[in-house]
Amino acid sequence: MIKQEDVVIIIKDGKSLQYNPKDYLNFHQELSSKDREIRILYQNEPVFDVVVPKGVFNPYGGIAAQAFMSGVLSGILDVQGKGVLDLGCGAGLIGFCCILKQSQKVLFSDLHPNIGEINNHPLMRSQDQVKVQDLCAGEAEETYDTVFMCFPSRSIERPIDPESYEMGILRNDDIVFRAISDVGKVLAPSG
């Protein structure tokens, strides 16, 4: 059984945060207002650090990424030797866990242009890629064994700021249905 509590995300400058996580919009707007370094722990042991670039959704205080990371790091979600698509990758946490568990390759894909920093992370390998794209646009059919996507958490009825974390996590369109359709095309048989 996946234990999301086995993964802890620590924000290095968390004491300076003004908003409470229960104030979702203001909390995440504050988190994404500048580059922030976070540390990933698995069963209380440091795994890796990463900088979440300004404007990119910061998973601190969230639960979806933690559950996926716990599943990968525990081996319950087996990615060894597999092609992985980290869809809506943000800072790349799930993809980096896949690299640590010897995935064949990882494609980090997101709408936000600031994800390019993932290329500079020490865990990146030559076979891994980072692409700014809408869902699976341009990906060949049946090329990935595993796809991870943390679905948007809220729907809002106002324009979305394309420079902020809202672009990927807060949606007022049909992204969930498009994602299911797109992912169905890029998954390999039995993926």
Side-chain angles (χ1 to χ4, degrees), residues 90 107 133 174:
L107 171 60
Q133 62 186 5
D174 63 347

Side-chain angles (χ1 to χ4, degrees), residues 8 19 24-25 34 54 59 70 82 90 95 114 120 143-144 177:
V8 175
Y19 291 100
Y24 189 89
L25 291 176
K34 66 178 187 175
K54 178 182 177 177
S70 178
K82 296 181 179 176
N114 286 355
N120 300 325
T143 54
Y144 296 96
F177 298 107

Side-chain angles (χ1 to χ4, degrees), residues 12-26:
K12 297 242 177 150
D13 65 347
K15 294 182 186 204
S16 67
L17 294 174
Q18 174 184 352
Y19 291 100
N20 183 305
K22 291 181 180 178
D23 183 357
Y24 189 89
L25 291 176
N26 284 325

Side-chain angles (χ1 to χ4, degrees), residues 118-183:
I118 293 171
N119 280 314
N120 300 325
H121 196 276
L123 290 175
M124 283 295 285
R125 309 167 298 184
S126 61
Q127 67 265 38
D128 302 316
Q129 291 184 294
V130 177
K131 290 185 181 179
V132 176
Q133 62 186 5
D134 184 26
L135 297 173
C136 306
E139 298 306 314
E141 290 187 14
E142 301 182 359
T143 54
Y144 296 96
D145 303 297
T146 305
V147 176
F148 291 99
M149 180 180 177
C150 298
F151 282 104
S153 61
R154 312 258 180 177
S155 182
I156 57 175
E157 297 301 324
R158 61 172 169 74
I160 295 171
D161 179 357
E163 297 299 317
S164 80
Y165 77 95
E166 293 180 346
M167 183 180 356
I169 199 72
L170 302 175
R171 301 300 297 234
N172 54 12
D173 64 8
D174 63 347
I175 192 168
V176 173
F177 298 107
R178 288 189 307 117
I180 292 168
S181 175
D182 282 11
V183 166

